[in-house]
Amino acid sequence: MRMRTPWMRPRWVAVLAAAALLTGCAERAAVKEEPLPVTLETRSFGTTPAGEAVTLSCLKNANGMEIAVTNYGATLTSVKVPDAKGQAADVALGFDSLEGYTAHTAI
């Protein structure tokens, strides 16, 4: 009688695991989910000291999550997420205006 160590399991176990994984993936792919509507709003955020216009783009989904990103170094200025009661709270640390970002540089 030959002893098997834990890493020498029969190949059929691996084949069954792969089949189960592929079957699970195939079933998941067959389920169609409706995409949530997302809105994009773009507005002026200010002007840099060099005179370049900076815009703020806000993405919002139907669940109430919202992010705001500027074209000034792709700065993420705001991340608003709803709490258990549905009240949105900004969880990102940032400035309310472009002047805060231009005045506080990392270099």
Side-chain angles (χ1 to χ4, degrees), residues 37-75:
V38 177
T39 60
L40 171 65
E41 296 177 7
T42 303
R43 63 180 174 90
S44 175
F45 194 56
T47 306
T48 65
E52 299 172 352
V54 177
T55 58
L56 182 70
S57 299
C58 298
L59 287 166
K60 186 174 183 177
N61 70 9
N63 293 332
M65 184 171 176
E66 180 180 340
I67 64 166
V69 182
T70 70
N71 65 339
Y72 182 70
T75 306

Side-chain angles (χ1 to χ4, degrees), residues 9 17 19 24-25 44 76 80 82 100:
R9 297 210 165 123
C25 291
S44 175
L76 184 65
K80 294 180 183 176

